[in-house]
Amino acid sequence: MAGDNTGKVALVTGAARGLGELVARRLHAAGFRVALADLDLEAATAVAYSLGEGALALRLDVREKAGFEAAAALLQERWGGADVLVNNAGQSKVAALMDISPEEFDAVVAVNLRSVFLACQVFGQAFAARGHGRIVNIASLAGQTGGTATGAHYAAAKGGVLTLTKVFARELAAQGVTVNAISPGPLDLPIVHESVPADKLAAITQTIPVRTLGDAGFIADAVVLLAGSGAGSATGACWDINGGLFMR
């Protein structure tokens, strides 16, 4: 069981839309006070306003360590500090493997991997000092299979997220801090339907053993479970939710 989350504080990156927004909403419904962090402050503010009391929007550039330090300080002042970190912010750029420039590679890795490293450093130290904390990293099936449909740089970065999850889990376990990853396959989200032609999406769906896109709400519920006090013995794990596309 997730346990009593009343009054606990969670920071979600990339929370203005998509999976991040859904995660923030589910955490808030589960009793957490939620900081919705995003580069798009206006969109994050709109979501926070819709949630009401116990929701806070803040602008955060996940590529910069100073941004995480400022966010941690703000949450300490506002709510007594964070208890949960959800690294959800991500960026993918479809590009042929041999056409990816060094600049584009660095940009995608900065958003998807560097951000996780920096966030885990900043919040991991704060959690360790308090003797408790939960970190949930959103990885991807692409990082497990080497899939390049979303770009080789994205796949490489998400593979790195899985490795960082283990590294930080091992480092922080004795201080009462857990670090886990969730690795989704293709998800049923509005942004997916908007960006992928219907015929192509139907073809993708037919490659999934369960013949359906993943339920983003289930992913969000899994985040809530791993963020709860009852998840103290789960750490260093990758939770595969991909419809059977990758089994181990």
Side-chain angles (χ1 to χ4, degrees), residues 89-216:
Q91 179 188 67
S92 64
K93 291 186 178 181
V94 179
L97 176 61
M98 299 304 178
D99 293 336
I100 298 173
S101 68
E103 293 77 17
E104 182 179 315
F105 183 90
D106 289 345
V108 171
V109 169
V111 173
N112 293 284
L113 180 59
R114 172 188 165 97
S115 66
V116 174
F117 175 71
L118 297 176
C120 287
Q121 266 195 334
V122 172
F123 282 88
Q125 288 178 316
F127 292 168
R130 297 176 64 179
H132 67 86
R134 300 280 183 266
I135 298 175
V136 183
N137 299 322
I138 303 300
S140 170
L141 174 66
Q144 296 171 299
T145 64
T148 58
T150 51
H153 36 12
Y154 176 84
K158 289 301 187 179
V161 168
L162 296 174
T163 298
L164 285 181
T165 297
K166 297 174 185 177
V167 172
F168 277 101
R170 187 173 292 110
E171 177 74 16
L172 298 171
Q175 285 75 48
V177 183
T178 66
V179 188
N180 289 283
I182 297 176
S183 187
L187 293 177
D188 187 5
L189 285 167
I191 190 173
V192 174
H193 291 277
E194 293 166 6
S195 59
V196 181
D199 58 340
K200 184 175 181 180
L201 194 57
I204 292 172
T205 302
Q206 287 304 304
T207 69
I208 303 172
V210 299
R211 296 295 190 272
T212 185
L213 296 174
D215 180 357

Side-chain angles (χ1 to χ4, degrees), residues 31 132 224 247:
H132 67 86
V224 174
M247 301 182 187

Side-chain angles (χ1 to χ4, degrees), residues 1-8 27 29-32 134 224-232:
M1 296 178 62
D4 183 10
N5 306 310
T6 304
K8 291 184 179 178
L27 285 167
F32 289 89
R134 300 280 183 266
V224 174
L225 185 65
L226 290 171
S229 58

